[in-house]
Amino acid sequence: MIVCVAVVGHQNNPLYIQSFTDADDALKLHHIVHCSLDVVDERVNNPKKSGPTLNETFLGLLYPTENYKVYGYLTNTKVKFILVTTDLDVRDADVRNFFRRFHAAYVDAVSNPFHVPGKKITSRTFAERVSTIVKSFGLSSAG
Amino acid sequence: MEEYPEEFRSPPVRLVALVGCPEQHGLISTHFLSQQPPINTLALPHFSKLSLLLHRSSKSSSSSSAAGILKRDWLVKHRTKIPAVVGALFLWDHVSGDPAQWVQVCSDLDELKAAIRPRNIKLLLLVVVGQSDEISEDRLLALRKRAEVDSKYLLLFNPDPSQLNNSLQRLGASFAELATTFYRDEGRRIKAPIEKKNLSSLDLQVRYCFKVAVYAEFRRDWVEALRFYEDAYHALREMVATSTRLPPIQRLLEIRTVAEHLHFKISTLLLHGGKLIEAVTWFRQHIVSYKNLVGPPKVIFLHWEWLSRQFLVFAELLDSSSATLQSVSSLPLGTVEQPLTEWEFHPAYYYQSAAQHLEEKRSSLELAVSISEAFNDNDDGSAESVVQSIYIGQFARLLEQGDDLAMQFLTDDEYTLYAIAEGKRFQDSFEIIALLKKSHEMYTNLKVQRMGSLCAFQIGREYFSLGDFGNAKQLFDGVANLYRQEGWVTLLWEVLGYLRECSRKQGAVKEFVEFSLEMAALPISTIGSIQTSKCGPGGPASLEQRDMIHTEIFALVSGEARPISLDGTDDLKDNTLHLEIDLVSPLRSVLLASVAFHEQIIKSGVSSLITLSLLAQLPLSIEIDQLEVQFNQFECNFIIMNAKKCPLEAVPSEQHDHRVESAPSLALVPNKWLRLTYDIKSEQSGKLECLSVIAKMGPHFTICCRAESPASMDDLPLWKFEDRVETFPTKDPALSFSGQKATQVEEPDPQVDVTLGASGPALVGERFLVPVTIASRDHTIYAGEMKINLVDVRGGGLFSPRESEPFSMDSHHVELLGIVGPEGEDESQRGPDKIKKIQQSFGLVSVPFLNIGESWSCKLEIMWHRPKPVMLFVSLGYSPNSNELNAQKVNVHKTLRIEGKNAVLISQHFMLPFRRDSLLLSRIKPVSDSSKFVSLPLHETTVLVVSAKNCSEVTLQLLSMAIEVDDDGIEKSWSIQHGGEDLGTAVLVPGEEFKKVFTVIPQVDSSKLRLGMVHLKWKRHCGIEDRSGLTVTDAHVLTKHELPDVHVELSPIVVSLDCPPYAILGDPFVFCVKIRNQKELLQEVKFSLADSQSFVLTGSHSDTVFVLPKSEHVLYYKVVPLASGLQQLPRISLTSVRYSARFQPSSAASTVFIFPSKPHCKMAGITDQGLESIIAD
């Protein structure tokens, strides 16, 4: 289950962060997302390590925690997407698929002429779409 | 890692024992230790000691009931007590000695054999021989038989220094070989039942696998050791569900403890083998397989403690082995199925996790303690005298029964009580802080700032819970900075909540207010708010909480209420609270002051508008009592009072020196600019900048806000990411983009006229006067000072003395000679304070006090040395108001371009007398150095015509023209005659030329003769109108002109033509050519005469004549003119043979006018006279 998704802007500031958990650990999730930016920085700054994944937007597993897995994604405009999930065995394909759909939703949201680039995304439509994508995570792979 | 016993932490070392001959033990054991791999030695002086050692241990091993998995002392026993090999040392003297000694040897051997046989310990015989001993094979054989050892295990040991090394080498090899054999045999013996799978229980399997692995380690067979440790580990994991030997809590405890030990061994082996990825993967599996074995809830803290220890130990292992690791970035990041991430290779991550689990342990322990206290308040001492039992991971009660000690098993409840009691004894917080500090340090070294900040935050939280607010605040401050910078509002909120509580606890009111205001001004919206109970002391990040903090703070600062538990502070009423908000302060969102002048440049004394805009992002609106606006010119400061709160009359008296304005309302509504526009007037020119705006709220609270220009204002931090309506600080959007908090105040307009009277061109050489008039219109002039500058029009710079040729007059083509004061004012009448400074191109003169309407004038005297245009700059600086030294100066500037021109152009030319030519050799054969000069014949008269042309635009009056000889010595070299000095009133209109004729007779033969200077005195001709204002009329100007040098030489032949001035048609006349030889030599002259159409002549056409020295030869011709008018006489040409110089008189000289008939008027005489006089001169 996905517990948190986040969009992080150029100055590593959160543009959108939403947790999908009933437990009281939203703050912890914020910490996790924030810390995972270190890994994103590290991977972006040392692309050598990524080897075959050069020029790829999907950054893979970022951050080990015992209960969560954190995945990252970097758009062409250097906006970062972070995904925190509690599923301990996640297929890369699922995550990639999720990020692709999430990216599409993000692009639609920021294409809104009333949206100012670099500001937080407050669109309700975007939030609804994200929660749909989150809910369907993993289902498509099962089928 | 330190909690593990030493035998676990280091790889096992083989152990051998030496018996007998104690004097040799030191040598041998030292040698064994230095071997690679080393061998530990048990040195027993006497044979009986060995049996004692082995006997006791063999007794305890007899009870082999499966009461536990691993015995605590098994490993240490094998490392320190049970040798693999026993080396029995005998002296050769004893072996070969008398029968009694032999019997003793045999009995010792028997005792030894009996002791070591049950344990399969290998035996090695050492016979210590001396240098002189003779070895008898028989005795050795007997000894070997007795001991039942192979022949190669009977060694002779010679302690003699020459043999010692050899002996030791052999000894070492044999001992090592036997030890390996022993450990291999033991390993095989234990391995057999495992391989046959006929072990009765998993307990035994774990134990046997462990033992095999240990024996393999003794042999340094790491691969086998690893394999059997892993087997043991897997078997152990299976026991979790199956074993029933112990009560559940203790069972789990034992399994976990054993697993921990096995895991430690495995990790150590993997890391020492350099298999980092395998080690990390193994650790991860280890954690995964035990993570869910939490056990019953009341002892769940044991689980967390255990997990924390796993992380800590692995971190320490990684840390100690990381020296040999390459950098993480070069490592492959796991496989596709099991991707590993960067941090999993860093000990920092494990330290951090250990700390996190320890926190979990602490909270569950606290829970367990509270439960146990609630239900079991009678401490019956059941936790006392509980010790670790002989098995690893088991605890038992030690019972004293007389002298004997007995172990009694515990029930789970008893154990739980014991564990809780033990747990209470430790202060986990310090442990957590130490772990986090380590992690923080490592992350910081790696420049991983966010992880590091999280650690710092956690450390801060621990300090906070410990009550160490100083340390906590320091850490939180650093973390808060990062979150502020990156705009993580919710995280910042949490940290600020802690900071706020810290300052509250420390009683730091100012900081408390600052943090509270910052929290209240955080952009926490309803969308992103987190409703969670696990939040810091700042409460949940929500709009309601912001409101609450806001209300609390403003109640505090207004003095209405004291906040709860703000201990140790004096009442706010006693001391004021002053906050400073600068451009980088996080409190900018609390109050932002933007100040814009409407004009970029304002006139001094003219009022202009200034707009003051204030913005607060607090959740509720606030009311400001009074605003003070401060400028760099403090006279401009003014105060705005809130009319509602404080009526104008109630302004305290000490503020009366500032302007006080009143505004109907000074309420700041969230996210809405409060715009106030006021007049501003400055009397002082220069920069006028608004520095700060001080808002006063309540009697004791002020906020000083640095003023910002709207044009260069940064966005509010944090709020800039919010999607909100942005408004302009000023009503006029253009002003928002361009408005500045500073403006330039111009000096007041000068009310004084400065007139420069002259215009027309100045003439070179004259003292040109420029009248300057200073007339005051509206200003009185105090301390007036006039500066005069002459500047080259082409930008050649000032004619200052600093120019390249400071001593040459040439560098000052135009010179300021002086300043003539107004009529009637004498130099001496000026006060001593009056300044008058004149340099060539710069002048400074002070202007006296002038009242309104008065005027003052002076004249500047400027002299041109060269014709060139210059710019004249005159600037007047004065202070219009008073005589104060620092009073504002007003400056008036005037410029005038003045052309400088030559007044007259003087030229000269030389003429020989009419019809008289001298043969000048230098003219015929030019010599290089004399060619540039005009040549004049010696002792002959030469006519010099000097002409002066008026090339200016004004009429000039010439006063005199003369040739002055400057050097007396040269005077006699030539004589000069000219007409009268006085020219009368020779007036030259522009363009007119004046000529004067001089005759020159050179007296000295010289190749270069100076003729002197033409001195022309002139002045401007003032006609009818009086132009005395322009020039000094009575002063004449002397223009000098240097005459060119001439070349004087003696001419050998002088030819003169003689003919009447005119002739009449048909009337014959005589025309003679006189050839005069001036030399002392005979001259041969050829001549020829060309015919002319207009004349008929008699006389020889061509001939050669000889002219005697110093005499004259005359050629006579009688000619009859045939045509009237100006006619060319027949031209004669002469050739001097001596000088081979051809010479012909000029055609002008051989021209004559022919009248058609005799003229009737009597003019011939006059003409004759005139001609005569010219020639005579």
Side-chain angles (χ1 to χ4, degrees):
Chain A
M1 189 183 82
I2 292 178
V3 288
C4 188
V5 290
V7 179
V8 180
H10 293 154
Q11 295 163 29
N12 285 327
N13 54 315
L15 295 179
Y16 177 84
I17 179 161
Q18 184 63 51
S19 42
F20 301 93
T21 165
D22 300 329
D24 274 345
D25 48 5
L27 211 52
K28 189 177 169 190
L29 290 171
H30 281 219
H31 275 300
I32 288 174
V33 171
H34 186 242
C35 286
S36 67
L37 297 176
D38 275 333
V39 194
V40 175
D41 278 358
E42 169 108 10
R43 297 227 176 135
V44 171
N45 294 337
N46 305 326
K48 170 182 71 98
K49 218 182 343 170
S50 317
T53 61
L54 189 70
N55 277 341
E56 206 188 357
T57 49
F58 180 58
L59 296 172
L61 181 66
L62 296 181
Y63 182 37
T65 66
E66 274 170 77
N67 305 318
Y68 305 107
K69 284 196 165 190
V70 186
Y71 288 88
Y73 185 92
L74 184 72
T75 71
N76 302 331
T77 54
K78 309 293 174 221
V79 171
K80 295 150 202 151
F81 298 156
I82 308 288
L83 161 70
V84 186
T85 171
T86 47
D87 298 346
L88 289 182
D89 46 343
V90 187
R91 293 198 308 171
D92 256 11
D94 286 346
V95 183
R96 279 172 198 273
N97 185 34
F98 167 83
F99 275 129
R100 218 185 47 244
R101 296 173 65 193
F102 189 77
H103 194 175
Y106 169 76
V107 167
D108 288 351
V110 295
S111 302
N112 180 348
F114 294 102
H115 174 79
V116 182
K119 299 235 173 196
K120 285 188 178 166
I121 302 170
T122 48
S123 155
R124 212 171 295 148
T125 321
F126 178 70
E128 281 165 15
R129 209 166 139 190
V130 167
S131 71
T132 317
I133 300 172
V134 165
K135 272 179 202 142
S136 67
F137 176 69
L139 295 180
S140 58
S141 66
Chain B
M1 212 153 77
E2 270 71 37
E3 58 260 35
Y4 296 127
E6 165 63 28
E7 67 265 20
F8 268 96
R9 279 188 279 150
S10 56
V13 179
R14 291 174 290 183
L15 185 71
V16 297
L18 297 174
V19 206
C21 293
E23 63 276 7
Q24 308 294 346
H25 290 183
L27 265 178
I28 299 171
S29 58
T30 315
H31 173 70
F32 281 2
L33 258 184
S34 67
Q35 275 204 306
Q36 203 51 250
I39 299 173
N40 282 340
T41 315
L42 278 175
L44 303 171
H46 202 261
F47 286 87
S48 56
K49 301 271 185 202
L50 181 74
S51 55
L52 208 66
L53 185 79
L54 294 176
H55 180 71
R56 249 168 90 185
S57 53
S58 63
K59 180 190 158 195
S60 64
S61 69
S62 60
S63 61
S64 62
S65 69
I69 302 169
L70 293 180
K71 272 202 186 142
R72 195 177 297 282
D73 58 353
W74 186 83
L75 190 55
V76 75
K77 188 175 78 188
H78 275 270
R79 288 179 57 134
T80 59
K81 284 187 182 158
I82 301 182
V85 186
V86 172
L89 282 86
F90 297 102
L91 285 175
W92 173 248
D93 291 350
H94 292 187
V95 175
S96 61
D98 55 33
Q101 282 174 326
W102 174 248
V103 168
Q104 178 61 36
V105 166
C106 288
S107 77
D108 283 348
L109 256 184
D110 288 346
E111 195 183 342
L112 187 64
K113 274 161 64 183
I116 63 174
R117 184 153 297 141
R119 295 198 164 271
N120 299 325
I121 295 172
K122 307 295 177 197
L123 179 62
L124 195 84
L125 293 178
L126 291 171
V127 179
V128 181
V129 292
Q131 191 68 11
S132 56
D133 288 337
E134 284 189 20
I135 311 298
S136 142
E137 287 296 325
D138 293 350
R139 273 294 165 95
L140 284 183
L141 190 68
L143 187 67
R144 196 160 61 80
K145 285 264 167 63
R146 189 83 195 178
E148 298 171 52
V149 294
D150 202 53
S151 62
K152 62 177 177 179
Y153 297 130
L154 193 154
L155 300 174
L156 296 179
F157 180 70
N158 193 342
D160 185 78
S162 59
Q163 300 287 317
L164 180 66
N165 245 350
N166 226 340
S167 301
L168 284 175
Q169 292 287 353
R170 272 184 296 144
L171 224 62
S174 300
F175 268 99
E177 185 191 334
L178 272 180
T180 308
T181 316
F182 169 78
Y183 290 121
R184 191 175 53 231
D185 290 352
E186 287 295 291
R188 273 201 199 121
R189 189 170 61 83
I190 297 172
K191 219 191 310 185
I194 304 172
E195 278 164 356
K196 285 180 201 146
K197 298 190 189 330
N198 61 356
L199 285 170
S200 55
S201 69
L202 281 170
D203 286 356
L204 282 180
Q205 188 169 352
V206 174
R207 184 189 299 170
Y208 283 14
C209 285
F210 176 74
K211 285 184 177 178
V212 173
V214 170
Y215 286 131
E217 270 199 284
F218 271 118
R219 293 200 315 271
R220 317 212 137 220
D221 183 353
W222 310 121
V223 177
E224 183 166 301
L226 188 61
R227 186 156 59 87
F228 277 91
Y229 279 131
E230 285 182 11
D231 283 352
Y233 181 88
H234 291 308
L236 186 71
R237 184 67 183 82
E238 283 172 38
M239 281 178 64
V240 172
T242 55
S243 170
T244 52
R245 181 165 36 80
L246 284 171
I249 291 177
Q250 294 183 62
R251 186 176 71 213
L252 190 58
L253 176 76
E254 183 181 18
I255 290 171
R256 271 205 302 242
T257 315
V258 174
E260 179 181 348
H261 281 84
L262 290 174
H263 166 69
F264 175 72
K265 274 290 178 192
I266 293 167
S267 299
T268 314
L269 283 175
L270 284 173
L271 285 174
H272 282 196
K275 298 171 179 167
L276 181 61
I277 294 171
E278 285 85 347
V280 171
T281 315
W282 175 267
F283 176 79
R284 196 195 257 186
Q285 280 169 356
H286 174 57
I287 294 301
V288 165
S289 48
Y290 281 91
K291 199 165 75 175
N292 295 324
L293 295 178
V294 287
K298 54 186 172 181
V299 287
I300 205 165
F301 68 90
L302 289 175
H303 171 69
W304 294 122
E305 187 182 11
W306 182 84
L307 267 184
S308 163
R309 201 162 56 238
Q310 303 310 300
F311 278 97
L312 169 63
V313 167
F314 193 68
E316 284 172 342
L317 279 178
L318 266 185
D319 206 1
S320 58
S321 68
S322 63
T324 59
L325 293 180
Q326 319 93 317
S327 74
V328 169
S329 53
S330 64
L331 287 169
L333 292 174
T335 56
V336 178
E337 299 83 41
Q338 292 198 322
L340 296 173
T341 55
E342 288 89 340
W343 308 132
E344 283 180 275
F345 295 96
H346 282 299
Y349 164 66
Y350 297 96
Y351 281 123
Q352 192 190 5
S353 299
Q356 273 163 359
H357 286 116
L358 209 54
E359 274 178 52
E360 300 262 14
K361 178 235 164 175
R362 184 181 52 188
S363 59
S364 42
L365 176 65
E366 278 163 8
L367 195 69
V369 167
S370 62
I371 290 172
S372 76
E373 276 169 359
F375 287 93
N376 198 359
D377 47 353
N378 53 332
D379 193 355
D380 55 357
S382 55
E384 282 170 22
S385 67
V386 172
V387 292
Q388 295 189 331
S389 85
I390 55 168
Y391 290 99
I392 289 177
Q394 286 190 11
F395 289 85
R397 187 187 299 280
L398 198 63
L399 293 179
E400 284 184 45
Q401 295 169 336
D403 288 343
D404 210 3
L405 295 172
M407 292 286 190
Q408 188 192 28
F409 287 114
L410 296 171
T411 62
D412 265 1
D413 284 344
E414 282 171 335
Y415 174 72
T416 309
L417 280 176
Y418 164 74
I420 291 173
E422 280 293 295
K424 276 198 280 192
R425 284 173 40 210
F426 291 104
Q427 277 277 11
D428 289 325
S429 289
F430 294 116
E431 182 73 11
I432 293 170
I433 288 172
L435 289 173
L436 286 171
K437 269 191 176 157
K438 233 173 199 168
S439 176
H440 175 62
E441 197 178 298
M442 287 178 171
Y443 279 132
T444 314
N445 289 344
L446 287 171
K447 295 197 168 52
V448 180
Q449 52 168 349
R450 296 180 191 89
M451 297 271 201
S453 293
L454 181 59
C455 289
F457 173 62
Q458 286 168 335
I459 302 170
R461 221 163 46 183
E462 285 304 318
Y463 276 129
F464 181 80
S465 64
L466 285 176
D468 185 351
F469 300 113
N471 271 329
K473 205 151 95 179
Q474 202 181 342
L475 288 161
F476 285 136
D477 266 335
V479 178
N481 274 339
L482 178 71
Y483 291 154
R484 272 184 203 125
Q485 203 182 318
E486 302 200 332
W488 286 78
V489 176
T490 44
L491 303 182
L492 181 58
W493 172 275
E494 196 189 6
V495 179
L496 287 177
Y498 277 104
L499 279 170
R500 183 171 114 103
E501 279 316 298
C502 284
S503 44
R504 190 209 292 269
K505 293 274 165 53
Q506 287 186 320
V509 185
K510 187 178 172 192
E511 288 178 353
F512 175 72
V513 171
E514 278 176 353
F515 289 129
S516 302
L517 283 176
E518 191 183 348
M519 281 178 87
L522 279 186
I524 287 174
S525 50
T526 40
I527 303 167
S529 72
I530 294 179
Q531 302 289 346
T532 170
S533 56
K534 281 188 197 164
C535 53
S542 66
L543 213 51
E544 297 80 48
Q545 192 70 18
R546 281 177 65 198
D547 287 356
M548 227 179 70
I549 292 173
H550 177 102
T551 321
E552 183 191 10
I553 281 307
F554 280 92
L556 169 72
V557 297
S558 62
E560 288 164 19
R562 278 181 63 80
I564 12 140
S565 72
L566 187 58
D567 351 302
T569 51
D570 297 333
D571 212 329
L572 262 185
K573 277 167 186 152
D574 301 334
N575 40 16
T576 54
L577 185 59
H578 183 71
L579 297 189
E580 290 270 353
I581 302 178
D582 59 13
L583 301 184
V584 291
S585 164
L587 294 179
R588 275 181 76 218
S589 36
V590 174
L591 188 64
L592 179 67
S594 138
V595 177
F597 282 97
H598 287 221
E599 312 286 340
Q600 287 182 357
I601 297 169
I602 59 176
K603 292 265 184 228
S604 135
V606 178
S607 91
S608 167
L609 289 177
I610 183 171
T611 292
L612 174 71
S613 318
L614 296 174
L615 180 71
Q617 293 288 10
L618 292 169
L620 305 171
S621 49
I622 51 175
E623 186 90 7
I624 296 171
D625 298 347
Q626 172 190 320
L627 276 175
E628 187 179 345
V629 189
Q630 292 187 328
F631 296 88
N632 62 343
Q633 302 181 6
F634 74 100
E635 312 85 31
C636 298
N637 293 1
F638 64 94
I639 293 169
I640 306 166
M641 308 295 296
N642 191 340
K644 269 192 220 159
K645 289 214 172 178
C646 183
L648 205 54
E649 300 80 48
V651 178
S653 57
E654 78 263 19
Q655 295 179 347
H656 271 297
D657 53 341
H658 291 318
R659 198 171 111 211
V660 177
E661 298 277 352
S662 174
S665 162
L666 287 176
L668 281 176
V669 181
N671 199 17
K672 191 159 181 283
W673 288 97
L674 170 70
R675 302 180 183 123
L676 303 160
T677 301
Y678 288 99
D679 282 343
I680 181 105
K681 190 159 90 175
S682 168
E683 298 293 345
Q684 199 180 345
S685 69
K687 194 178 183 190
L688 176 63
E689 183 178 11
C690 181
L691 297 179
S692 52
V693 176
I694 299 172
K696 191 167 183 189
M697 283 171 264
H700 311 292
F701 182 52
T702 48
I703 302 178
C704 174
C705 203
R706 197 72 64 83
E708 299 186 37
S709 304
S712 56
M713 194 163 56
D714 286 338
D715 283 335
L716 282 178
L718 305 174
W719 285 93
K720 66 182 167 190
F721 302 124
E722 294 299 309
D723 194 12
R724 68 194 162 102
V725 181
E726 296 218 22
T727 48
F728 294 120
T730 52
K731 247 179 213 155
D732 175 13
L735 197 58
S736 304
F737 288 118
S738 65
Q740 295 290 346
K741 63 171 176 174
T743 187
Q744 198 65 34
V745 182
E746 284 193 330
E747 59 189 28
D749 272 348
Q751 298 295 323
V752 169
D753 289 335
V754 174
T755 329
L756 298 180
S759 60
L763 301 180
V764 171
E766 68 175 341
R767 292 167 84 89
F768 188 71
L769 289 189
V770 181
V772 180
T773 311
I774 295 168
S776 153
R777 271 181 303 170
D778 258 345
H779 277 162
T780 48
I781 297 176
Y782 290 94
E785 208 176 75
M786 188 166 70
K787 286 177 195 153
I788 302 123
N789 262 312
L790 288 174
V791 180
D792 192 343
V793 170
R794 286 186 215 95
L798 295 170
F799 299 91
S800 73
R802 282 189 299 275
E803 279 202 355
S804 54
E805 300 170 84
F807 304 112
S808 157
M809 276 299 287
D810 287 353
S811 62
H812 307 289
H813 296 170
V814 185
E815 197 179 358
L816 181 67
L817 292 178
I819 297 157
V820 181
E823 292 292 322
E825 189 181 345
D826 195 6
E827 285 289 312
S828 59
Q829 284 175 348
R830 294 164 173 267
D833 58 323
K834 302 289 182 194
I835 322 148
K836 189 174 172 188
K837 227 192 259 177
I838 307 290
Q839 287 170 357
Q840 273 96 339
S841 61
F842 176 76
L844 179 69
V845 66
S846 62
V847 176
F849 164 74
L850 285 184
N851 233 327
I852 295 173
E854 287 181 347
S855 71
W856 180 82
S857 65
C858 67
K859 287 174 184 163
L860 310 179
E861 283 185 18
I862 306 169
M863 163 95 84
W864 269 257
H865 297 290
R866 295 284 157 86
K868 76 188 305 180
V870 293
M871 292 300 284
L872 171 66
F873 287 92
V874 173
S875 55
L876 170 71
Y878 69 96
S879 51
N881 294 323
S882 65
N883 255 325
E884 281 175 44
L885 281 175
N886 54 352
Q888 187 66 35
K889 282 262 180 185
V890 183
N891 289 297
V892 193
H893 305 280
K894 278 277 165 165
T895 58
L896 181 66
R897 180 187 163 120
I898 308 177
E899 299 283 339
K901 290 197 169 169
N902 271 327
V904 285
L905 191 65
I906 299 174
S907 57
Q908 79 288 328
H909 69 272
F910 294 94
M911 293 171 75
L912 287 174
F914 191 56
R915 291 182 179 163
R916 183 182 173 91
D917 289 298
S918 304
L919 174 67
L920 291 173
L921 293 176
S922 60
R923 276 197 200 158
I924 301 158
K925 290 182 235 164
V927 188
S928 60
D929 62 331
S930 62
S931 63
K932 50 193 166 191
F933 302 120
V934 177
S935 294
L936 296 183
L938 183 68
H939 300 308
E940 293 288 322
T941 306
T942 307
V943 178
L944 169 64
V945 180
V946 179
S947 59
K949 185 180 179 182
N950 181 359
C951 52
S952 69
E953 289 157 15
V954 293
T955 312
L956 299 178
Q957 183 177 10
L958 299 189
L959 300 173
S960 69
M961 182 191 267
I963 293 179
E964 303 276 333
V965 180
D966 40 355
D967 197 345
D968 297 334
I970 306 171
E971 197 175 6
K972 290 167 193 156
S973 61
W974 56 287
S975 72
I976 199 158
Q977 296 150 24
H978 43 73
E981 280 275 325
D982 193 16
L983 296 178
T985 50
V987 173
L988 280 184
V989 296
E992 196 183 353
E993 202 169 1
F994 171 81
K995 286 186 182 171
K996 189 169 178 187
V997 179
F998 299 87
T999 55
V1000 179
I1001 304 167
Q1003 313 278 2
V1004 177
D1005 188 355
S1006 161
S1007 65
K1008 188 180 172 187
L1009 183 68
R1010 277 178 65 89
L1011 287 183
M1013 307 276 279
V1014 176
H1015 284 213
L1016 178 69
K1017 286 184 186 160
W1018 57 270
K1019 63 179 187 180
R1020 283 180 186 246
H1021 178 68
C1022 27
I1024 303 151
E1025 58 175 318
D1026 181 22
R1027 296 176 64 183
S1028 61
L1030 273 181
T1031 52
V1032 186
T1033 44
D1034 53 347
H1036 57 79
V1037 182
L1038 180 69
T1039 304
K1040 290 180 180 175
H1041 176 75
E1042 169 101 48
L1043 289 170
D1045 292 347
V1046 292
H1047 177 76
V1048 178
E1049 65 181 22
L1050 181 69
S1051 99
I1053 296 169
V1054 178
V1055 179
S1056 49
L1057 300 179
D1058 196 2
C1059 88
Y1062 62 91
I1064 294 157
L1065 191 66
D1067 218 0
F1069 64 94
V1070 175
F1071 154 58
C1072 54
V1073 177
K1074 294 175 184 161
I1075 304 166
R1076 184 179 170 78
N1077 179 6
Q1078 306 218 61
K1079 291 276 187 174
E1080 310 278 336
L1081 298 165
L1082 185 73
Q1083 296 274 5
E1084 185 185 1
V1085 177
K1086 286 181 187 170
F1087 71 88
S1088 66
L1089 193 74
D1091 277 331
S1092 173
Q1093 288 181 338
S1094 319
F1095 296 96
V1096 183
L1097 77 140
T1098 62
S1100 56
H1101 265 80
S1102 68
D1103 195 4
T1104 302
V1105 292
F1106 292 90
V1107 185
L1108 290 173
K1110 299 282 183 189
S1111 69
E1112 202 173 57
H1113 180 88
V1114 184
L1115 300 174
Y1116 290 98
Y1117 296 94
K1118 189 148 208 170
V1119 288
V1120 179
L1122 299 179
S1124 61
L1126 199 60
Q1127 296 298 339
Q1128 180 76 48
L1129 284 167
R1131 293 194 68 181
I1132 189 157
S1133 67
L1134 301 165
T1135 304
S1136 164
V1137 177
R1138 175 177 290 274
Y1139 303 106
S1140 59
R1142 191 181 148 80
F1143 173 71
Q1144 189 170 33
S1146 65
S1147 59
S1150 52
T1151 322
V1152 72
F1153 189 80
I1154 312 292
F1155 286 99
S1157 61
K1158 197 170 172 76
H1160 298 290
C1161 55
K1162 280 288 285 179
M1163 65 201 285
I1166 304 166
T1167 318
D1168 277 357
Q1169 260 185 6
L1171 278 170
E1172 218 70 52
S1173 87
I1174 290 172
I1175 293 163
D1177 278 352

